[in-house]
Amino acid sequence: MKKFYLLYTLLFLTTISFSQQLAPTGGGEFVFEKTECISTTERLHVKSVLQENTQKLKNEGKLTINKNAIVYFDWPLQKTADLEFNSYYAISNYVDQDASGSLRDYDCGMRTYDGHNGIDIYTWPFDWYMYENDLVEVIAAAPGTIIGKNDGEYDQRCSWANGLIANYVIIQHSDGSRAFYWHMKNGSITTKNIGESVVTGEYLGVLASSGYSTGPHLHFEVRDNNGNVIEPFQGTCNNLNNQSWWLSQQPYRKPTLNAILTHNDAPAMGCPAVNESPNFSTCFAPGDTVYTALYFRDQLFGEMTNLRLRRPDNSLFYSWTFNSNNTYDSSYWYWYWFLPSNGPFGLWTFEADYNGETFIHEFTYLNGDASPNMWTGPAIGNWHQNASYWSLGHIPTDCDYVIIPSGYEVTVQSGNTANCYALEVRTNADFNVMPGAEFHAIVGSD
Ligand SMILES: [Zn+2]
């Protein structure tokens, strides 16, 4: 019997070691700073502007109020089609329910700061990348009339400073309640005028960091028709209003894998944009370091993620698990790899099972040698025929080599030469392809 038990134990250990925990190389919690969103000075300014605007609109008969109307909100943000992340935001602060100086949010937690009157939704991950590329838009959560807006303010605030005003839009709803959309991008505010109406989901501006702000986020503040603060989320500790104002209220924690990515160096968060280095890459060659990374919103204590790297033929290269040892508003974790120098080459996959879903990210691993089987990667750019040459257009920022279709020879037009193969062009190690560089292919035949 003893022998049997020993054998059983060994088999069991072998089975579990097949997919074992592997501590991340790096990453951790991403903390969005908790600082005041609208200063007293700014509130006084906005108050006087609103008094003037609403009086004018009332005189023109453009601002009627039906106190019996009921207002419900849709989510006030959307990502554009260009953003390939699974999701794009996390929540740092709700309305502070405690007037005494302590912190309490609607769910009896402490995700707020003292005296906060709104909800802070920040973009995650790579908030400055999303800001620079206009990838997240602020949209009207409910229909109403524009009663205030401001544009033209600096929008890359990373630290809190006095005397600032945000790029903003204020909407009055049919019941007289108001929504304040704060911190948007310079030059992005809707061209609609004060007094014009908007429908639910209508574009208001691009999410940014103007006014009293330490990073790109939306401060979404709701006031009833008497000016009292509303917390749209209903929960045990909401002392302000009895009902949810959301059409469909999200849970307090919504565990989400916002993004599954690969990078050619460790991803760096920072502020302002210049200190953030996403290092996105989906193209790797032998000798490159492949960083596989996960970006979570509301990752919970004890949650397990199953991870896998698969070769181009779908066979398993490595599988591992990762357990969260805390609960985070936002967190990220990465592991790095050196793939075998002899391949296999082609389209690899990085997979994650999280919260009942499987997420897949593909990346290309290419050999430096020419081979008829190399045309396995994703298409990079589009070829355009010119008078005497073909042009690939702009090289994507995350690839330092391009693949040339069979039958074309390639010359690099400026500064340096590339190693030319019948099917593939790889630049020399000391040749830097800058984002926006062009490759020109002279049409020829082998
Ligand atoms: Zn706020």
Side-chain angles (χ1 to χ4, degrees), residues 297-345:
R297 165 195 170 189
D298 289 334
Q299 189 183 26
L300 304 179
F301 174 83
E303 274 184 338
M304 186 170 78
T305 312
N306 291 309
L307 296 135
R308 292 176 296 279
L309 273 176
R310 287 190 190 277
R311 303 182 185 94
D313 67 357
N314 211 37
S315 64
L316 203 55
F317 175 73
Y318 199 82
S319 74
W320 72 104
T321 63
F322 169 58
N323 293 327
S324 174
N325 59 8
N326 213 330
T327 293
Y328 306 95
D329 292 350
S330 49
S331 53
Y332 70 112
W333 311 99
Y334 60 83
W335 297 259
Y336 67 73
W337 310 87
F338 299 101
L339 300 184
S341 57
N342 59 346
F345 300 102

Side-chain angles (χ1 to χ4, degrees), residues 70-73 106 230-235 238 241-250:
I70 297 177
V71 171
Y72 286 113
F73 295 130
Y106 78 94
I230 295 293
E231 166 59 271
F233 285 90
Q234 184 46 38
N238 186 344
N241 45 286
N242 297 322
Q243 287 178 328
S244 174
W245 283 44
W246 297 109
L247 277 167
S248 173
Q249 178 171 317
Q250 289 190 18

Side-chain angles (χ1 to χ4, degrees), residues 33-99:
E33 218 175 295
K34 294 174 182 287
T35 49
E36 190 175 3
C37 292
I38 307 180
S39 71
T40 311
T41 323
E42 190 179 13
R43 284 200 185 274
L44 285 172
H45 167 78
V46 170
K47 192 179 174 186
S48 73
V49 168
L50 282 183
Q51 271 171 353
E52 194 179 310
N53 289 351
T54 51
Q55 193 55 54
K56 184 166 173 285
L57 292 173
K58 275 180 199 161
N59 293 344
E60 294 167 357
K62 286 180 180 170
L63 208 58
T64 54
I65 291 174
N66 172 7
K67 287 189 176 175
N68 296 320
I70 297 177
V71 171
Y72 286 113
F73 295 130
D74 243 322
W75 198 242
L77 295 173
Q78 69 181 11
K79 70 185 178 97
T80 67
D82 291 336
L83 182 63
E84 291 176 355
F85 297 171
N86 174 47
S87 187
Y88 58 95
Y89 66 88
I91 298 173
S92 55
N93 300 310
Y94 294 101
V95 173
D96 183 20
Q97 302 282 341
D98 187 303

Side-chain angles (χ1 to χ4, degrees), residues 119-425:
I119 303 163
D120 288 337
I121 311 164
Y122 60 101
T123 36
W124 167 253
F126 304 112
D127 44 5
W128 292 104
Y129 158 76
M130 290 196 247
Y131 154 87
E132 279 174 354
N133 295 286
D134 296 349
L135 296 173
V136 176
E137 295 173 347
V138 176
I139 55 177
T145 306
I146 299 173
I147 56 169
K149 67 170 197 169
N150 186 49
D151 204 344
E153 311 291 342
Y154 180 72
D155 60 12
Q156 295 187 40
R157 305 294 324 176
C158 288
S159 55
W160 203 86
N162 233 331
L164 302 171
I165 291 189
N167 301 310
Y168 64 78
V169 173
I170 304 164
I171 308 246
Q172 180 160 314
H173 312 116
S174 54
D175 65 344
S177 65
R178 293 168 177 179
F180 296 69
Y181 302 83
W182 237 248
H183 307 305
M184 286 183 275
K185 191 168 184 172
N186 187 4
S188 80
I189 298 296
T190 174
T191 53
K192 281 200 169 176
N193 296 316
I194 307 286
E196 287 193 83
S197 62
V198 294
V199 297
T200 302
E202 189 165 328
Y203 173 91
L204 300 179
V206 172
L207 187 140
S209 187
S210 58
Y212 279 65
S213 179
T214 55
H217 77 290
L218 171 69
H219 172 88
F220 179 65
E221 179 171 326
V222 181
R223 303 261 177 170
D224 69 11
N225 58 13
N226 293 314
N228 301 311
V229 174
I230 295 293
E231 166 59 271
F233 285 90
Q234 184 46 38
T236 315
C237 286
N238 186 344
N239 306 319
L240 300 169
N241 45 286
N242 297 322
Q243 287 178 328
S244 174
W245 283 44
W246 297 109
L247 277 167
S248 173
Q249 178 171 317
Q250 289 190 18
Y252 182 68
R253 291 281 183 196
K254 191 182 179 188
T256 308
L257 183 59
N258 277 16
I260 171 171
L261 300 169
T262 47
H263 309 267
N264 55 21
D265 204 344
M269 315 294 167
C271 197
V274 288
N275 291 333
E276 180 185 271
S277 297
N279 295 320
F280 299 133
S281 181
T282 55
C283 304
F284 300 93
D288 288 348
T289 314
V290 182
Y291 286 79
T292 53
L294 304 173
Y295 300 84
F296 294 94
R297 165 195 170 189
D298 289 334
Q299 189 183 26
L300 304 179
F301 174 83
E303 274 184 338
M304 186 170 78
T305 312
N306 291 309
L307 296 135
R308 292 176 296 279
L309 273 176
R310 287 190 190 277
R311 303 182 185 94
D313 67 357
N314 211 37
S315 64
L316 203 55
F317 175 73
Y318 199 82
S319 74
W320 72 104
T321 63
F322 169 58
N323 293 327
S324 174
N325 59 8
N326 213 330
T327 293
Y328 306 95
D329 292 350
S330 49
S331 53
Y332 70 112
W333 311 99
Y334 60 83
W335 297 259
Y336 67 73
W337 310 87
F338 299 101
L339 300 184
S341 57
N342 59 346
F345 300 102
L347 201 59
W348 286 57
T349 50
F350 171 39
E351 302 177 353
D353 300 331
Y354 178 67
N355 218 11
E357 266 189 271
T358 296
F359 300 85
I360 296 176
H361 174 82
E362 295 178 328
F363 61 95
T364 305
Y365 185 44
L366 286 180
N367 195 354
D369 298 320
S371 153
N373 299 320
M374 288 305 296
W375 188 248
T376 50
I380 301 170
N382 294 307
W383 288 88
H384 305 288
Q385 189 167 19
N386 296 293
S388 59
Y389 59 87
W390 290 59
S391 165
L392 182 63
H394 296 282
I395 306 297
T397 56
D398 60 348
C399 286
D400 59 359
Y401 42 80
V402 292
I403 302 167
I404 309 302
S406 176
Y408 299 114
E409 288 178 2
V410 173
T411 56
V412 177
Q413 296 294 293
S414 58
N416 214 324
T417 56
N419 294 324
C420 295
Y421 301 97
L423 288 168
E424 184 197 19
V425 170

